[in-house]
Amino acid sequence: MTKVKLIGYLDIPRERRNSIFVALSEHITLTRAEDGCITFEVTESDTVVGRLNVNELFTDQAAFDFHQSRTKNSAWAKTTDGIPRHFTISTEL
């Protein structure tokens, strides 16, 4: 089965950090509970202030697609609206 991996980052503006960190906790919990989620890590960068590093791994394309669909209308999507994502999506066996 081909796994789907997403890695990258979001740079969070100072004035939005509090609201984003509040929403992040729920986003992580909901994502990790999804069928097919193997890894879901969002961590603060040690070198860039305000940067959140993202590392996701899903069992297959269907699981990844479900995650993307679910998050489109989530509190996380609303809270991070307008913040550019710098992500690379790849597959691995």
Side-chain angles (χ1 to χ4, degrees):
M1 189 175 307
T2 304
K3 298 175 183 140
V4 177
K5 183 174 187 165
L6 179 149
I7 58 170
Y9 65 91
L10 295 89
D11 287 329
I12 309 302
R14 179 178 309 261
E15 67 276 4
R16 295 182 65 184
R17 288 187 193 145
N18 287 342
S19 62
I20 286 174
F21 280 104
V22 168
L24 179 59
S25 178
E26 179 183 34
H27 180 54
I28 290 171
T29 299
L30 291 173
T31 300
R32 288 180 178 167
E34 292 173 8
D35 286 338
C37 178
I38 298 170
T39 302
F40 189 79
E41 299 293 333
V42 181
T43 57
E44 291 184 71
S45 171
D46 292 334
T47 57
V48 180
V49 175
R51 178 167 288 178
L52 294 178
N53 294 313
V54 181
N55 181 4
E56 305 177 7
L57 183 63
F58 290 86
T59 55
D60 56 26
Q61 189 67 49
F64 179 75
D65 291 345
F66 173 82
H67 169 69
Q68 293 295 304
S69 176
R70 181 192 65 77
T71 59
K72 281 185 181 178
N73 296 313
S74 69
W76 174 250
K78 291 177 180 79
T79 304
T80 60
D81 185 46
I83 296 175
R85 273 95 164 132
H86 305 275
F87 296 152
T88 300
I89 300 169
S90 60
T91 58
E92 60 182 49
L93 296 178

